[in-house]
Amino acid sequence: MTARPKDALAEVRRLRHQRPRRHRLMRSFRLQVMLLVGVLLAAMLLAQGAYLNHRKAEIISDQMGQRALAVAQSVAAIPELVAAFDEPDPSVTIQPIAERIRRDTGARYVVVGNAEGIRYSHPLPDRIGLPMVGGDNDRALIGGESYVSEAEGSLGEAMRGKTPVFDAEGNIIGIISVGFMLDRVALDVGRHTSLGWWLVAAMIALGFAGAYGLSHHLKRVILGLEPHEIARLAMEKEAILQSIHEGILAVNREGEITLVNQQARRFLGLPEAREVLGRPIQELVPNSRLLEVLERGERQFDQQMWLGDHPVVVNRVPVRHAGEIEGAVATFRSRREIVELSDALTAASRDVDMLRAQAHEFSNKLYTLSGLLQLDRIQEALALIHQESERAQAQMSFLMGHVADPVISGTLLGKLTRAREIGVVLEIDDQSSFSLPMTAAGQEVLMTVLGNLIDNACDAARQGAGPDGDGDRGELPRVRLFFTDLGEQLLIEVEDNGPGVPSAQVARIFEEGYSTKPGRHRGIGLALVARLCAEHGGAITLEESELGGACFTVVLDRSLCRDPATA
């Protein structure tokens, strides 16, 4: 009995949890997915955050430098400050102006120097009158440029905006240097970029949480299996599909082939699987009826059909997911094999019955002989023995003299014995003969043809027999057999005194599965004989018998006989 899907899934999960924990952690698909996605996301966010924060720091630093330069240019444009350069002690006027601007702008220092770089102002008054340090004044004092530079002054490293001071005639009379300390700039940059790093950290945490959720979802979708387990199951499934005796064919919802095993390709004469997968089913197997299953969603079991020249029994079922039809699967097995198995079982049962009947008959004869001997009727006992011996000897002598093939002789002798046991008179025409032995194929064909025709004739004769049979016609069941290999073809004729075949059923008598007799597993023998005749250049016909029943005539090609030169 097939296990339910839930039971199968529970078994898969139970086997999975039996694995050692350390081994499971080392190869955990969930952990691998979470780490892979999380690390990739974290690396991308960190790289992007580093780049953006670096650019932001550069922008802030540039803004601080431009701010220092703007303050320096504003100071250089103050008329009072320019006029103070002509005073005997310029620092008296310039120092208060520079300090006021320094406090208002938040600069670390606002230093004013003359053309020789001597300070007229400084946050530390004791350094007024000393030369400016840093070595970056030449561009302003010599070239007259306004620029931003980074240099180490008397107060430390600073970002400085420098601009020259011009008099009314445009001569360079001094220099303005406004500085912001680099540590203060770095502090401002850090304050403005810290929010970005916090956002990056939050996004990384969110990314790891999403990676965990994704890995959990994927693990649930694949039924808690690890990749190596899925690979092993896929290989096992492929091996099973290719080794089973039934053909399997599957299509998706578009009617394209998604699976075909070796047995199906053999039945259908299809090329390699890689050349078949993805192609429309109607193109390769137009009578598969899988599109009908896709459309209606109905299951079809034990349907008979022909695939090429193979009669098969087919099961078709739709594949559903979440209530939707996702595809369809067809499994089929050869009906010929089923028929051959059924014939083998029937023959075995028939042999058992024959042996049982023979044992019963000989038991009766032995009892008769025992009784005659006990009555001291020796002559009568000897006569009974001679009678049985002569009858068996006559049958064997006839078959040995008229049938060259020992296999066919054995088949006919067995049929004679069985007919006698079931009360049917089986007569072989004196003109019958098979003068040549048969090929291996010929032996199989003739055993099948003779066996089925004689058995059917015996059954029919018993239906129309007299008091010793099952019928009411008042005569013994009789079957007459004639065969010959003279001429261009083999000829076999079997007739009986049964009820015959009604005219309304003559047209269907050779159809597979159709029978005039009640019961299951009927309608196989005559269809098999008709197919063998067609395959070996012959035919089977039905006409009325001289005995009153049916007469079947079989014609087969003489190629079933062995060549006399090699016989």
Side-chain angles (χ1 to χ4, degrees):
M1 183 174 181
T2 305
R4 293 178 299 174
K6 290 184 178 179
D7 296 337
L9 296 182
E11 180 65 16
V12 169
R13 293 191 176 99
R14 184 184 66 80
L15 293 175
R16 168 178 161 268
H17 287 303
Q18 290 179 353
R19 297 194 305 272
R21 182 174 181 83
R22 186 177 66 87
H23 178 72
R24 185 166 66 248
L25 290 177
M26 289 174 61
R27 307 180 67 175
S28 172
F29 175 71
R30 181 186 301 178
L31 181 61
Q32 292 175 5
V33 170
M34 186 178 69
L35 290 178
L36 177 63
V37 175
V39 169
L40 286 177
L41 184 61
M44 289 188 295
L45 289 174
L46 287 172
Q48 186 176 17
Y51 172 75
L52 293 177
N53 284 334
H54 176 71
R55 289 293 302 153
K56 190 173 183 179
E58 287 183 344
I59 292 172
I60 294 173
S61 297
D62 290 343
Q63 288 178 347
M64 295 292 286
Q66 294 301 320
R67 180 181 174 187
L69 181 59
V71 172
Q73 289 174 336
S74 300
V75 172
I78 298 175
E80 293 85 358
L81 186 139
V82 176
F85 276 83
D86 295 331
E87 296 178 0
D89 189 3
S91 62
V92 175
T93 303
I94 293 175
Q95 174 70 2
I97 296 174
E99 285 300 297
R100 175 173 53 81
I101 294 175
R102 181 182 68 81
R103 289 191 295 269
D104 292 344
T105 59
R108 180 64 181 89
Y109 57 82
V110 177
V111 176
V112 180
N114 60 14
E116 287 75 28
I118 302 302
R119 300 187 185 104
Y120 288 159
S121 67
H122 196 276
L124 301 177
D126 58 339
R127 297 186 182 182
I128 296 174
L130 299 176
M132 300 173 66
V133 297
D136 55 348
N137 292 338
D138 292 344
R139 293 172 59 189
L141 294 176
I142 298 175
E145 298 180 31
S146 297
Y147 55 92
V148 177
S149 70
E150 292 184 15
E152 185 172 357
S154 61
L155 297 178
E157 279 192 282
M159 181 172 290
R160 311 196 282 192
K162 291 184 177 289
T163 186
V165 180
F166 297 94
D167 60 10
E169 287 77 20
N171 298 317
I172 298 175
I173 61 174
I175 183 173
I176 306 297
S177 178
V178 178
F180 292 91
M181 304 308 294
L182 287 182
D183 55 353
R184 174 64 181 275
V185 174
L187 186 62
D188 290 342
V189 170
R191 186 174 65 253
H192 285 88
T193 57
S194 61
L195 178 60
W197 286 115
W198 279 110
L199 289 176
V200 168
M203 293 177 67
I204 290 175
L206 184 62
F208 271 99
Y212 175 81
L214 175 63
S215 64
H216 181 74
H217 172 72
L218 291 177
K219 195 71 180 245
R220 187 172 63 252
V221 168
I222 60 177
L223 306 179
L225 299 174
E226 298 295 335
H228 66 279
E229 294 174 325
I230 297 175
R232 188 187 70 248
L233 289 176
M235 290 187 291
E236 291 175 354
K237 186 208 78 167
E238 185 66 19
I240 292 171
L241 288 176
Q242 299 303 331
S243 63
I244 61 177
H245 200 57
E246 289 192 350
I248 300 178
L249 190 64
V251 298
N252 57 19
R253 66 170 67 185
E254 287 77 26
E256 299 171 344
I257 298 176
T258 57
L259 185 147
V260 56
N261 70 345
Q262 183 177 353
Q263 188 74 354
R265 289 192 292 106
R266 185 178 69 83
F267 271 132
L268 303 173
L270 298 178
E272 294 295 328
R274 61 177 178 271
E275 302 178 20
V276 174
L277 299 181
R279 295 177 62 180
I281 186 67
Q282 288 297 96
E283 179 181 327
L284 298 175
V285 193
N287 63 334
S288 68
R289 298 181 65 184
L290 283 175
L291 295 183
E292 179 181 321
V293 176
L294 287 175
E295 180 181 351
R296 300 181 182 178
E298 297 177 353
R299 299 184 176 186
Q300 301 176 0
F301 294 104
D302 298 327
Q303 301 291 311
Q304 298 183 23
M305 64 178 294
W306 286 79
L307 292 178
D309 61 345
H310 291 274
V312 296
V313 178
V314 186
N315 296 322
R316 307 180 189 90
V317 294
V319 178
R320 298 180 182 273
H321 178 70
E324 297 291 331
I325 297 178
E326 297 292 335
V329 177
T331 62
F332 42 89
R333 59 189 182 274
S334 174
R335 182 169 173 77
R336 291 178 186 172
E337 296 176 358
I338 298 175
V339 170
E340 290 172 0
L341 179 60
S342 176
D343 288 345
L345 292 174
T346 302
S349 177
R350 188 180 300 152
D351 291 342
V352 171
D353 291 341
M354 184 175 66
L355 291 173
R356 186 182 297 114
Q358 286 181 344
H360 181 70
E361 179 185 6
F362 280 104
S363 177
N364 290 334
K365 290 177 181 178
L366 288 174
Y367 286 134
T368 302
L369 289 172
S370 176
L372 290 173
L373 292 174
Q374 290 178 23
L375 294 173
D376 202 20
R377 308 295 294 269
I378 298 176
Q379 294 300 324
E380 287 80 353
L382 291 174
L384 179 61
I385 294 173
H386 288 307
Q387 177 185 347
E388 290 297 318
S389 176
E390 288 175 358
R391 182 174 62 180
Q393 188 65 34
Q395 290 178 347
M396 293 181 62
S397 298
F398 176 84
L399 292 176
M400 291 177 63
H402 291 77
V403 180
D405 193 285
V407 174
I408 304 303
S409 297
T411 300
L412 292 174
L413 184 59
K415 294 302 177 183
L416 285 168
T417 303
R418 171 166 170 73
R420 186 170 67 252
E421 299 301 334
I422 62 176
V424 176
V425 179
L426 175 56
E427 303 172 351
I428 300 180
D429 193 288
D430 294 338
Q431 302 300 318
S432 300
S433 69
F434 279 146
S435 59
L436 292 175
M438 301 294 162
T439 63
Q443 291 174 347
E444 286 192 25
V445 172
L446 285 183
M447 282 192 297
T448 302
V449 171
L450 288 171
N452 281 287
L453 291 181
I454 293 174
D455 288 345
N456 286 347
C458 290
D459 290 342
R462 294 181 68 193
Q463 290 180 17
D468 294 333
D470 298 328
D472 56 0
R473 288 176 50 180
E475 59 179 321
L476 291 174
R478 294 178 60 200
V479 174
R480 182 183 298 164
L481 171 65
F482 172 76
F483 51 85
T484 182
D485 57 359
L486 300 177
E488 298 297 326
Q489 293 177 310
L490 303 181
L491 177 65
I492 301 172
E493 188 176 87
V494 180
E495 54 184 329
D496 59 72
N497 65 343
V501 179
S503 56
Q505 300 177 357
V506 171
R508 300 188 60 192
I509 196 67
F510 298 113
E511 292 182 8
E512 186 171 0
Y514 181 79
S515 177
T516 59
K517 292 177 285 188
R520 300 178 60 189
H521 308 297
R522 298 287 189 177
I524 297 175
L526 289 179
L528 183 60
V529 171
R531 180 172 62 80
L532 290 174
C533 291
E535 290 177 355
H536 295 88
I540 180 172
T541 58
L542 170 63
E543 57 187 19
E544 187 176 350
S545 169
E546 295 178 357
L547 300 179
C551 177
F552 288 93
T553 303
V554 171
V555 177
L556 294 168
D557 192 86
R558 193 178 172 81
S559 62
L560 296 175
C561 296
R562 236 180 251 173
D563 187 350
T566 60

Short mmCIF file of all heavy atoms in Angstrom, two decimals, residues 4-36:
data_model
loop_
_atom_site.label_atom_id
_atom_site.label_comp_id
_atom_site.label_asym_id
_atom_site.label_seq_id
_atom_site.Cartn_x
_atom_site.Cartn_y
_atom_site.Cartn_z
N ARG A 4 1.10 7.65 2.45
CA ARG A 4 0.60 9.00 2.18
C ARG A 4 1.76 9.98 2.13
O ARG A 4 2.81 9.76 2.75
CB ARG A 4 -0.38 9.40 3.28
CG ARG A 4 -1.66 8.57 3.26
CD ARG A 4 -2.55 9.00 4.40
NE ARG A 4 -1.89 8.79 5.69
CZ ARG A 4 -2.40 9.19 6.85
NH1 ARG A 4 -3.53 9.83 6.88
NH2 ARG A 4 -1.75 8.97 7.97
N PRO A 5 1.58 11.14 1.41
CA PRO A 5 2.67 12.12 1.31
C PRO A 5 3.16 12.60 2.67
O PRO A 5 4.36 12.74 2.88
CB PRO A 5 2.04 13.25 0.49
CG PRO A 5 0.98 12.57 -0.32
CD PRO A 5 0.45 11.49 0.56
N LYS A 6 2.25 12.83 3.62
CA LYS A 6 2.67 13.33 4.93
C LYS A 6 3.55 12.29 5.64
O LYS A 6 4.53 12.63 6.30
CB LYS A 6 1.45 13.68 5.77
CG LYS A 6 0.71 14.93 5.27
CD LYS A 6 -0.42 15.28 6.20
CE LYS A 6 -1.14 16.55 5.73
NZ LYS A 6 -2.26 16.90 6.61
N ASP A 7 3.17 11.00 5.51
CA ASP A 7 3.98 9.96 6.14
C ASP A 7 5.36 9.90 5.50
O ASP A 7 6.36 9.70 6.20
CB ASP A 7 3.28 8.61 5.99
CG ASP A 7 1.96 8.59 6.74
OD1 ASP A 7 1.80 9.40 7.67
OD2 ASP A 7 1.08 7.79 6.38
N ALA A 8 5.43 10.06 4.18
CA ALA A 8 6.73 10.03 3.49
C ALA A 8 7.60 11.19 3.95
O ALA A 8 8.80 11.02 4.19
CB ALA A 8 6.52 10.07 1.98
N LEU A 9 7.01 12.38 4.07
CA LEU A 9 7.78 13.54 4.51
C LEU A 9 8.26 13.36 5.94
O LEU A 9 9.39 13.72 6.29
CB LEU A 9 6.93 14.81 4.40
CG LEU A 9 6.51 15.22 2.99
CD1 LEU A 9 5.71 16.50 3.04
CD2 LEU A 9 7.72 15.38 2.10
N ALA A 10 7.41 12.79 6.78
CA ALA A 10 7.80 12.55 8.17
C ALA A 10 8.97 11.57 8.23
O ALA A 10 9.90 11.73 9.03
CB ALA A 10 6.61 12.02 8.97
N GLU A 11 8.96 10.56 7.37
CA GLU A 11 10.05 9.60 7.35
C GLU A 11 11.35 10.25 6.90
O GLU A 11 12.42 9.99 7.45
CB GLU A 11 9.69 8.43 6.42
CG GLU A 11 10.76 7.35 6.30
CD GLU A 11 10.98 6.62 7.61
OE1 GLU A 11 10.11 6.73 8.52
OE2 GLU A 11 12.01 5.93 7.74
N VAL A 12 11.27 11.13 5.89
CA VAL A 12 12.46 11.84 5.41
C VAL A 12 13.05 12.69 6.54
O VAL A 12 14.26 12.70 6.78
CB VAL A 12 12.12 12.71 4.19
CG1 VAL A 12 13.27 13.65 3.87
CG2 VAL A 12 11.83 11.83 3.00
N ARG A 13 12.18 13.42 7.24
CA ARG A 13 12.67 14.27 8.32
C ARG A 13 13.24 13.43 9.47
O ARG A 13 14.23 13.81 10.10
CB ARG A 13 11.54 15.16 8.82
CG ARG A 13 11.09 16.19 7.78
CD ARG A 13 10.15 17.22 8.41
NE ARG A 13 9.80 18.25 7.44
CZ ARG A 13 8.66 18.25 6.76
NH1 ARG A 13 7.80 17.27 6.92
NH2 ARG A 13 8.40 19.22 5.90
N ARG A 14 12.63 12.27 9.76
CA ARG A 14 13.13 11.42 10.84
C ARG A 14 14.54 10.91 10.52
O ARG A 14 15.43 10.95 11.37
CB ARG A 14 12.20 10.22 11.04
CG ARG A 14 12.59 9.33 12.21
CD ARG A 14 11.68 8.13 12.28
NE ARG A 14 11.86 7.26 11.15
CZ ARG A 14 12.87 6.39 11.03
NH1 ARG A 14 13.76 6.27 12.00
NH2 ARG A 14 12.96 5.63 9.96
N LEU A 15 14.76 10.48 9.30
CA LEU A 15 16.08 10.02 8.90
C LEU A 15 17.09 11.14 8.93
O LEU A 15 18.25 10.96 9.29
CB LEU A 15 16.01 9.41 7.50
CG LEU A 15 15.19 8.11 7.39
CD1 LEU A 15 15.10 7.68 5.94
CD2 LEU A 15 15.81 7.02 8.23
N ARG A 16 16.64 12.34 8.58
CA ARG A 16 17.54 13.49 8.57
C ARG A 16 18.00 13.82 9.97
O ARG A 16 19.17 14.13 10.21
CB ARG A 16 16.81 14.69 7.95
CG ARG A 16 17.52 16.02 8.12
CD ARG A 16 16.73 17.13 7.44
NE ARG A 16 17.14 18.42 7.96
CZ ARG A 16 16.57 19.03 8.96
NH1 ARG A 16 15.55 18.46 9.58
NH2 ARG A 16 17.00 20.19 9.39
N HIS A 17 17.11 13.74 10.96
CA HIS A 17 17.47 14.10 12.33
C HIS A 17 18.33 13.03 12.99
O HIS A 17 18.87 13.26 14.07
CB HIS A 17 16.21 14.32 13.16
CG HIS A 17 15.51 15.60 12.82
ND1 HIS A 17 16.12 16.83 12.88
CD2 HIS A 17 14.24 15.83 12.37
CE1 HIS A 17 15.26 17.78 12.52
NE2 HIS A 17 14.12 17.20 12.20
N GLN A 18 18.49 11.87 12.38
CA GLN A 18 19.34 10.84 12.94
C GLN A 18 20.81 11.06 12.63
O GLN A 18 21.67 10.36 13.16
CB GLN A 18 18.92 9.46 12.39
CG GLN A 18 17.57 9.00 12.94
CD GLN A 18 17.17 7.66 12.36
OE1 GLN A 18 17.83 7.14 11.47
NE2 GLN A 18 16.09 7.10 12.87
N ARG A 19 21.14 12.01 11.76
CA ARG A 19 22.54 12.27 11.43
C ARG A 19 23.26 12.88 12.62
O ARG A 19 22.65 13.59 13.44
CB ARG A 19 22.65 13.21 10.22
CG ARG A 19 22.06 12.65 8.96
CD ARG A 19 22.51 13.49 7.77
NE ARG A 19 22.17 14.89 7.95
CZ ARG A 19 21.03 15.44 7.60
NH1 ARG A 19 20.11 14.70 7.05
NH2 ARG A 19 20.80 16.72 7.77
N PRO A 20 24.59 12.67 12.77
CA PRO A 20 25.34 13.29 13.86
C PRO A 20 25.24 14.79 13.80
O PRO A 20 25.26 15.39 12.73
CB PRO A 20 26.78 12.79 13.60
CG PRO A 20 26.63 11.56 12.78
CD PRO A 20 25.40 11.77 11.96
N ARG A 21 25.15 15.44 14.97
CA ARG A 21 24.96 16.89 15.02
C ARG A 21 26.14 17.65 14.44
O ARG A 21 25.97 18.60 13.70
CB ARG A 21 24.71 17.32 16.48
CG ARG A 21 24.45 18.81 16.61
CD ARG A 21 24.07 19.18 18.01
NE ARG A 21 23.80 20.60 18.11
CZ ARG A 21 22.68 21.17 17.79
NH1 ARG A 21 21.69 20.45 17.30
NH2 ARG A 21 22.49 22.47 17.91
N ARG A 22 27.37 17.22 14.78
CA ARG A 22 28.53 17.94 14.27
C ARG A 22 28.56 17.88 12.75
O ARG A 22 28.83 18.86 12.08
CB ARG A 22 29.81 17.32 14.85
CG ARG A 22 31.07 18.10 14.49
CD ARG A 22 32.28 17.49 15.15
NE ARG A 22 32.54 16.16 14.63
CZ ARG A 22 33.29 15.93 13.55
NH1 ARG A 22 33.81 16.95 12.88
NH2 ARG A 22 33.51 14.70 13.13
N HIS A 23 28.28 16.72 12.20
CA HIS A 23 28.25 16.56 10.74
C HIS A 23 27.19 17.46 10.13
O HIS A 23 27.39 18.06 9.09
CB HIS A 23 27.97 15.10 10.41
CG HIS A 23 27.88 14.82 8.95
ND1 HIS A 23 28.97 14.82 8.13
CD2 HIS A 23 26.79 14.55 8.18
CE1 HIS A 23 28.58 14.55 6.89
NE2 HIS A 23 27.28 14.38 6.90
N ARG A 24 26.03 17.56 10.81
CA ARG A 24 24.95 18.38 10.28
C ARG A 24 25.31 19.84 10.30
O ARG A 24 25.01 20.58 9.36
CB ARG A 24 23.69 18.12 11.11
CG ARG A 24 22.46 18.84 10.56
CD ARG A 24 21.18 18.32 11.18
NE ARG A 24 21.09 18.60 12.59
CZ ARG A 24 21.13 17.68 13.53
NH1 ARG A 24 21.31 16.41 13.22
NH2 ARG A 24 21.01 18.01 14.81
N LEU A 25 25.98 20.30 11.37
CA LEU A 25 26.36 21.71 11.43
C LEU A 25 27.42 22.05 10.41
O LEU A 25 27.41 23.13 9.82
CB LEU A 25 26.84 22.04 12.85
CG LEU A 25 25.76 22.04 13.93
CD1 LEU A 25 26.38 22.30 15.28
CD2 LEU A 25 24.68 23.08 13.62
N MET A 26 28.35 21.11 10.20
CA MET A 26 29.43 21.38 9.24
C MET A 26 28.88 21.51 7.83
O MET A 26 29.42 22.26 7.02
CB MET A 26 30.46 20.24 9.30
CG MET A 26 31.30 20.23 10.57
SD MET A 26 32.36 18.78 10.63
CE MET A 26 33.37 19.05 9.16
N ARG A 27 27.80 20.81 7.50
CA ARG A 27 27.29 20.82 6.14
C ARG A 27 25.89 21.42 6.08
O ARG A 27 25.14 21.13 5.16
CB ARG A 27 27.27 19.39 5.61
CG ARG A 27 28.59 18.67 5.73
CD ARG A 27 28.55 17.26 5.21
NE ARG A 27 28.35 17.20 3.79
CZ ARG A 27 28.36 16.07 3.08
NH1 ARG A 27 28.57 14.92 3.69
NH2 ARG A 27 28.15 16.08 1.79
N SER A 28 25.53 22.24 7.08
CA SER A 28 24.19 22.80 7.15
C SER A 28 23.93 23.75 5.99
O SER A 28 24.64 24.73 5.81
CB SER A 28 23.99 23.53 8.48
OG SER A 28 22.76 24.23 8.48
N PHE A 29 22.92 23.42 5.21
CA PHE A 29 22.55 24.28 4.09
C PHE A 29 22.06 25.63 4.59
O PHE A 29 22.37 26.67 3.99
CB PHE A 29 21.45 23.57 3.28
CG PHE A 29 20.91 24.40 2.16
CD1 PHE A 29 21.68 24.66 1.03
CD2 PHE A 29 19.63 24.93 2.23
CE1 PHE A 29 21.18 25.43 -0.01
CE2 PHE A 29 19.12 25.70 1.20
CZ PHE A 29 19.90 25.94 0.08
N ARG A 30 21.29 25.63 5.69
CA ARG A 30 20.78 26.89 6.22
C ARG A 30 21.92 27.81 6.64
O ARG A 30 21.92 29.01 6.33
CB ARG A 30 19.86 26.61 7.41
CG ARG A 30 19.26 27.87 8.01
CD ARG A 30 18.48 27.55 9.27
NE ARG A 30 17.41 26.61 9.01
CZ ARG A 30 16.62 26.13 9.96
NH1 ARG A 30 16.79 26.50 11.22
NH2 ARG A 30 15.67 25.28 9.66
N LEU A 31 22.91 27.25 7.35
CA LEU A 31 24.04 28.06 7.79
C LEU A 31 24.84 28.57 6.60
O LEU A 31 25.28 29.72 6.58
CB LEU A 31 24.93 27.22 8.72
CG LEU A 31 26.16 27.94 9.30
CD1 LEU A 31 25.73 29.13 10.14
CD2 LEU A 31 27.00 26.97 10.12
N GLN A 32 25.04 27.73 5.61
CA GLN A 32 25.79 28.14 4.43
C GLN A 32 25.10 29.27 3.69
O GLN A 32 25.73 30.25 3.28
CB GLN A 32 26.00 26.95 3.49
CG GLN A 32 26.92 25.88 4.05
CD GLN A 32 27.01 24.66 3.13
OE1 GLN A 32 26.44 24.66 2.05
NE2 GLN A 32 27.70 23.63 3.59
N VAL A 33 23.79 29.14 3.51
CA VAL A 33 23.04 30.20 2.82
C VAL A 33 23.08 31.49 3.61
O VAL A 33 23.30 32.59 3.06
CB VAL A 33 21.59 29.75 2.57
CG1 VAL A 33 20.74 30.91 2.07
CG2 VAL A 33 21.56 28.62 1.56
N MET A 34 22.86 31.40 4.93
CA MET A 34 22.84 32.60 5.75
C MET A 34 24.20 33.31 5.72
O MET A 34 24.28 34.53 5.56
CB MET A 34 22.47 32.23 7.19
CG MET A 34 22.29 33.45 8.10
SD MET A 34 21.81 32.98 9.76
CE MET A 34 23.31 32.18 10.32
N LEU A 35 25.28 32.53 5.86
CA LEU A 35 26.61 33.14 5.84
C LEU A 35 26.94 33.71 4.47
O LEU A 35 27.49 34.82 4.36
CB LEU A 35 27.66 32.11 6.25
CG LEU A 35 27.66 31.67 7.71
CD1 LEU A 35 28.71 30.62 7.97
CD2 LEU A 35 27.87 32.89 8.63
N LEU A 36 26.60 32.98 3.43
CA LEU A 36 26.92 33.46 2.09
C LEU A 36 26.19 34.76 1.78
O LEU A 36 26.81 35.76 1.38
CB LEU A 36 26.55 32.38 1.06
CG LEU A 36 26.75 32.77 -0.41
CD1 LEU A 36 28.22 33.04 -0.69
CD2 LEU A 36 26.22 31.67 -1.33
#
